[in-house]
Amino acid sequence: LFSLTAKDFEFQTFCTGGPGGQHKNAKQNGVRCIHKESGARAEHRDGRDQFRNKQAAFEKCANTPQFKAWHKVECMRKLGQLKDIERAVDEAMADSNLKVEYL
């Protein structure tokens, strides 16, 4: 239906900090992965090299509930099913179907 590439994500690097010796504060090993369209974000800082941290952050980002929900809606939009669902919701929310109670 569609594909996502690294261009669709924003990757930020940062010093991992904390205890762990000379490699922690000296290098930009931590990676944060952000998918702006869905609002999903994840970061990974456990590995010693940036490449593995980038892969792990991407995998964590793809497994977030925000990204999964966005992906599901985009798939439905591409297949044309989103309009059917919106129409069903509009029919269910019609004034004749709503009941307003006053206490």
Side-chain angles (χ1 to χ4, degrees):
L1 296 172
F2 64 97
S3 63
L4 297 171
T5 63
K7 294 177 183 177
D8 298 320
F9 293 85
E10 178 185 345
F11 292 97
Q12 300 172 348
T13 59
F14 55 92
C15 290
T16 54
Q22 64 191 17
H23 296 290
K24 284 285 190 176
N25 289 322
K27 298 179 181 177
Q28 300 276 322
N29 288 343
V31 178
R32 185 176 298 115
C33 177
I34 303 170
H35 186 247
K36 291 185 179 182
E37 291 184 40
S38 66
R41 56 187 333 132
E43 63 181 42
H44 194 77
R45 59 177 71 203
D46 296 338
R48 284 189 59 180
D49 64 340
Q50 194 179 96
F51 180 73
R52 289 188 190 137
N53 285 342
K54 187 175 183 180
Q55 289 177 333
F58 177 78
E59 188 174 328
K60 283 182 179 181
C61 187
N63 289 326
T64 59
Q66 295 94 349
F67 184 79
K68 287 182 178 182
W70 174 85
H71 185 262
K72 188 175 183 179
V73 170
E74 284 298 311
C75 286
M76 293 173 84
R77 182 175 289 134
K78 297 285 184 183
L79 293 172
Q81 296 174 349
L82 193 61
K83 292 180 183 178
D84 296 335
I85 293 172
E86 289 175 350
R87 188 177 328 111
V89 169
D90 289 341
E91 289 174 4
M93 294 296 292
D95 291 336
S96 60
N97 294 335
L98 297 178
K99 181 179 179 182
V100 179
E101 295 181 357
Y102 296 102
L103 296 176

PDB file of all heavy atoms in Angstrom, residues 75-85:
ATOM      1  N   CYS A  75      -3.644   2.752   6.331  1.00  0.00           N
ATOM      2  CA  CYS A  75      -3.987   1.603   5.490  1.00  0.00           C
ATOM      3  C   CYS A  75      -5.452   1.651   5.087  1.00  0.00           C
ATOM      4  O   CYS A  75      -5.801   1.387   3.932  1.00  0.00           O
ATOM      5  CB  CYS A  75      -3.685   0.298   6.219  1.00  0.00           C
ATOM      6  SG  CYS A  75      -1.936  -0.090   6.341  1.00  0.00           S
ATOM      7  N   MET A  76      -6.321   2.009   6.039  1.00  0.00           N
ATOM      8  CA  MET A  76      -7.742   2.108   5.724  1.00  0.00           C
ATOM      9  C   MET A  76      -7.997   3.233   4.727  1.00  0.00           C
ATOM     10  O   MET A  76      -8.838   3.100   3.841  1.00  0.00           O
ATOM     11  CB  MET A  76      -8.540   2.332   7.005  1.00  0.00           C
ATOM     12  CG  MET A  76      -8.501   1.149   7.942  1.00  0.00           C
ATOM     13  SD  MET A  76      -9.253   1.488   9.502  1.00  0.00           S
ATOM     14  CE  MET A  76     -10.950   1.166   9.093  1.00  0.00           C
ATOM     15  N   ARG A  77      -7.271   4.325   4.860  1.00  0.00           N
ATOM     16  CA  ARG A  77      -7.432   5.448   3.937  1.00  0.00           C
ATOM     17  C   ARG A  77      -7.008   5.043   2.531  1.00  0.00           C
ATOM     18  O   ARG A  77      -7.678   5.365   1.553  1.00  0.00           O
ATOM     19  CB  ARG A  77      -6.615   6.640   4.415  1.00  0.00           C
ATOM     20  CG  ARG A  77      -6.769   7.858   3.525  1.00  0.00           C
ATOM     21  CD  ARG A  77      -6.048   9.058   4.080  1.00  0.00           C
ATOM     22  NE  ARG A  77      -6.771   9.533   5.264  1.00  0.00           N
ATOM     23  CZ  ARG A  77      -6.200   9.862   6.408  1.00  0.00           C
ATOM     24  NH1 ARG A  77      -4.910   9.776   6.558  1.00  0.00           N
ATOM     25  NH2 ARG A  77      -6.926  10.286   7.413  1.00  0.00           N
ATOM     26  N   LYS A  78      -5.905   4.311   2.425  1.00  0.00           N
ATOM     27  CA  LYS A  78      -5.418   3.887   1.102  1.00  0.00           C
ATOM     28  C   LYS A  78      -6.369   2.887   0.453  1.00  0.00           C
ATOM     29  O   LYS A  78      -6.507   2.867  -0.763  1.00  0.00           O
ATOM     30  CB  LYS A  78      -4.026   3.256   1.223  1.00  0.00           C
ATOM     31  CG  LYS A  78      -2.961   4.197   1.731  1.00  0.00           C
ATOM     32  CD  LYS A  78      -2.539   5.169   0.685  1.00  0.00           C
ATOM     33  CE  LYS A  78      -1.411   6.022   1.228  1.00  0.00           C
ATOM     34  NZ  LYS A  78      -0.973   7.042   0.326  1.00  0.00           N
ATOM     35  N   LEU A  79      -7.004   2.050   1.263  1.00  0.00           N
ATOM     36  CA  LEU A  79      -7.935   1.063   0.726  1.00  0.00           C
ATOM     37  C   LEU A  79      -9.332   1.626   0.496  1.00  0.00           C
ATOM     38  O   LEU A  79     -10.188   0.958  -0.067  1.00  0.00           O
ATOM     39  CB  LEU A  79      -8.026  -0.142   1.669  1.00  0.00           C
ATOM     40  CG  LEU A  79      -6.763  -0.988   1.772  1.00  0.00           C
ATOM     41  CD1 LEU A  79      -6.913  -2.032   2.866  1.00  0.00           C
ATOM     42  CD2 LEU A  79      -6.458  -1.655   0.439  1.00  0.00           C
ATOM     43  N   GLY A  80      -9.586   2.843   0.954  1.00  0.00           N
ATOM     44  CA  GLY A  80     -10.881   3.460   0.760  1.00  0.00           C
ATOM     45  C   GLY A  80     -11.910   3.058   1.800  1.00  0.00           C
ATOM     46  O   GLY A  80     -13.090   3.338   1.638  1.00  0.00           O
ATOM     47  N   GLN A  81     -11.496   2.397   2.851  1.00  0.00           N
ATOM     48  CA  GLN A  81     -12.432   1.948   3.872  1.00  0.00           C
ATOM     49  C   GLN A  81     -12.718   3.024   4.907  1.00  0.00           C
ATOM     50  O   GLN A  81     -13.700   2.937   5.633  1.00  0.00           O
ATOM     51  CB  GLN A  81     -11.876   0.714   4.589  1.00  0.00           C
ATOM     52  CG  GLN A  81     -11.718  -0.473   3.680  1.00  0.00           C
ATOM     53  CD  GLN A  81     -11.023  -1.625   4.391  1.00  0.00           C
ATOM     54  OE1 GLN A  81     -10.496  -1.461   5.482  1.00  0.00           O
ATOM     55  NE2 GLN A  81     -11.030  -2.780   3.764  1.00  0.00           N
ATOM     56  N   LEU A  82     -11.904   4.028   4.977  1.00  0.00           N
ATOM     57  CA  LEU A  82     -12.081   5.065   5.995  1.00  0.00           C
ATOM     58  C   LEU A  82     -13.367   5.847   5.772  1.00  0.00           C
ATOM     59  O   LEU A  82     -14.062   6.198   6.729  1.00  0.00           O
ATOM     60  CB  LEU A  82     -10.875   6.003   6.001  1.00  0.00           C
ATOM     61  CG  LEU A  82     -10.759   6.942   7.180  1.00  0.00           C
ATOM     62  CD1 LEU A  82     -10.637   6.156   8.477  1.00  0.00           C
ATOM     63  CD2 LEU A  82      -9.556   7.848   7.024  1.00  0.00           C
ATOM     64  N   LYS A  83     -13.737   6.072   4.519  1.00  0.00           N
ATOM     65  CA  LYS A  83     -14.968   6.804   4.225  1.00  0.00           C
ATOM     66  C   LYS A  83     -16.197   6.025   4.672  1.00  0.00           C
ATOM     67  O   LYS A  83     -17.168   6.607   5.150  1.00  0.00           O
ATOM     68  CB  LYS A  83     -15.050   7.117   2.737  1.00  0.00           C
ATOM     69  CG  LYS A  83     -14.013   8.127   2.286  1.00  0.00           C
ATOM     70  CD  LYS A  83     -14.118   8.414   0.815  1.00  0.00           C
ATOM     71  CE  LYS A  83     -13.014   9.374   0.398  1.00  0.00           C
ATOM     72  NZ  LYS A  83     -13.031   9.654  -1.030  1.00  0.00           N
ATOM     73  N   ASP A  84     -16.147   4.697   4.535  1.00  0.00           N
ATOM     74  CA  ASP A  84     -17.263   3.867   4.986  1.00  0.00           C
ATOM     75  C   ASP A  84     -17.443   3.967   6.494  1.00  0.00           C
ATOM     76  O   ASP A  84     -18.563   4.061   6.997  1.00  0.00           O
ATOM     77  CB  ASP A  84     -17.035   2.403   4.592  1.00  0.00           C
ATOM     78  CG  ASP A  84     -16.997   2.213   3.083  1.00  0.00           C
ATOM     79  OD1 ASP A  84     -17.590   3.054   2.367  1.00  0.00           O
ATOM     80  OD2 ASP A  84     -16.379   1.233   2.627  1.00  0.00           O
ATOM     81  N   ILE A  85     -16.333   3.959   7.218  1.00  0.00           N
ATOM     82  CA  ILE A  85     -16.398   4.049   8.675  1.00  0.00           C
ATOM     83  C   ILE A  85     -16.893   5.424   9.097  1.00  0.00           C
ATOM     84  O   ILE A  85     -17.735   5.544   9.996  1.00  0.00           O
ATOM     85  CB  ILE A  85     -15.017   3.735   9.294  1.00  0.00           C
ATOM     86  CG1 ILE A  85     -14.677   2.270   9.040  1.00  0.00           C
ATOM     87  CG2 ILE A  85     -14.990   4.052  10.780  1.00  0.00           C
ATOM     88  CD1 ILE A  85     -13.285   1.886   9.417  1.00  0.00           C
TER      89      ILE A  85
END
